[in-house]
Amino acid sequence: MQTNSTPPAYTSLVALGDSFTEGMSDLLPDGSYRGWADLLAARMAARVPGFRYANLAVRGKLIQQIVDEQVAVAAAMRPDVITLVGGLNDTLRPKYDMVRVRDLLTEAVERLAPNCERLVLMRSPGRQGPVFDRFRPRMEELFACVDELGAKHDAVVVDLYGAPSLGDPRLWDVDRLHLTHEGHRRVAEAVWQALGHDAEDAEWRTPPAATPPPGWRARRVEDVRFARTHLLPWIGRRLTGRSSGDGLPAKRPDLLPYELIHEDLA
């Protein structure tokens, strides 16, 4: 789909959020993560000399932490584009308070919108399956808030939740919480188009071609491996109030010219 023959020449991007924006599980050979925001920055930098990029995301962050630790930093940078994705980790907590999440998300948007040319919000993707179904009502409450804030503040809202491809389990890592590289590539494409650029993949919403499903025994083995390796540690962190991002710095805390960091993003 052709969106705009003369897309805007945005010169800078700052991404805020949690593990989704940090790039888990798009793993690079050195053990770091790439992800959709890095992929998007690479595309934008290829069109605009001197393009600058920062990524303040840290895995596991709740919306209160994003507001406290990332929003003021991003606003002070005054980039052309800010992406904000947050609140989904809150929906997975036992003591979820939608009113509080809505208030904090509203605060974040109200502080960011005046300090950038284009604010991008998202309806996050959700992996098909019983866990997703359990939390679906909370997620949809959150996305209704995102839609309202987007309309009120003239922000771009990218609908990843409604894309069939991003619900396909094959685009999710074995932890069932984070997208694979192919999933992140499709998210980057979605945001790219939402910013007014011509499509490089007009079919990003379409799931991969059908493949034979794994057998019953293979599914049960994978379920046991998932529970032992990912689910039980995740529950343990929830019960003890810990986070996978405790003590970790922002991914790319400084708004730097892309050419200074492009080797890390390759």
Side-chain angles (χ1 to χ4, degrees):
M1 179 179 67
Q2 298 297 307
T3 56
N4 192 337
S5 58
T6 55
Y10 294 122
T11 64
S12 52
L13 166 68
V14 176
L16 287 72
D18 50 35
S19 59
F20 173 67
T21 302
E22 184 183 346
M24 297 173 73
S25 291
D26 184 7
L27 192 64
L28 291 168
D30 65 359
S32 64
Y33 294 106
R34 179 170 40 200
W36 66 264
D38 284 6
L39 293 168
L40 177 65
R43 288 195 189 186
M44 297 174 77
R47 288 178 175 249
V48 179
F51 182 84
R52 296 175 300 150
Y53 172 53
N55 189 325
L56 307 181
V58 179
R59 67 196 72 172
K61 293 300 183 182
L62 302 173
I63 188 61
Q64 178 74 72
Q65 294 169 307
I66 292 172
V67 169
D68 290 346
E69 301 167 13
Q70 301 179 27
V71 167
V73 176
M77 291 176 175
R78 298 186 65 85
D80 285 353
V81 179
I82 293 177
T83 66
L84 169 65
V85 188
L88 202 61
N89 283 331
D90 296 78
T91 68
L92 304 178
R93 295 297 176 108
K95 296 182 179 180
Y96 173 64
D97 183 347
M98 182 57 207
V99 173
R100 182 168 180 272
V101 171
R102 175 187 290 272
D103 289 346
L104 288 165
L105 193 57
T106 299
E107 178 185 346
V109 170
E110 289 179 345
R111 292 169 63 184
L112 292 171
N115 289 291
C116 63
E117 184 175 338
R118 178 59 68 194
L119 177 63
V120 178
L121 309 176
M122 298 186 203
R123 294 162 55 90
S124 304
R127 181 186 186 276
Q128 296 169 1
V131 174
F132 171 71
D133 290 340
R134 177 182 177 185
F135 292 100
R136 184 191 299 270
R138 292 182 176 184
M139 293 173 64
E140 292 184 348
E141 273 192 310
L142 176 66
F143 299 154
C145 176
V146 169
D147 288 341
E148 292 170 8
L149 289 169
K152 182 177 180 180
H153 294 276
D154 193 29
V156 172
V157 177
V158 184
D159 184 15
L160 307 174
Y161 177 74
S165 62
L166 295 177
D168 190 316
R170 292 172 294 173
L171 268 65
W172 293 74
D173 192 37
V174 294
D175 67 1
R176 305 183 185 180
L177 286 173
H178 302 106
L179 293 168
T180 62
H181 170 70
E182 175 59 15
H184 281 283
R185 184 196 67 78
R186 292 178 185 238
V187 172
E189 176 68 29
V191 183
W192 175 255
Q193 293 183 29
L195 288 173
H197 296 89
D198 292 342
E200 295 188 9
D201 176 10
E203 302 299 324
W204 72 267
R205 295 177 179 82
T206 303
T211 56
W216 181 89
R217 179 176 177 80
R219 294 198 306 271
R220 298 294 78 77
V221 169
E222 182 56 35
D223 287 344
V224 170
R225 182 181 297 116
F226 161 72
R228 181 185 301 119
T229 306
H230 301 287
L231 181 59
L232 292 178
W234 182 84
I235 292 173
R237 291 194 297 271
R238 300 290 81 74
L239 293 175
T240 57
R242 293 178 292 116
S243 166
S244 57
D246 287 348
L248 294 180
K251 181 177 182 179
R252 303 186 187 283
D254 301 312
L255 186 59
L256 295 175
Y258 180 84
E259 58 266 23
L260 296 181
I261 58 175
H262 76 280
E263 290 183 2
D264 294 336
L265 302 176

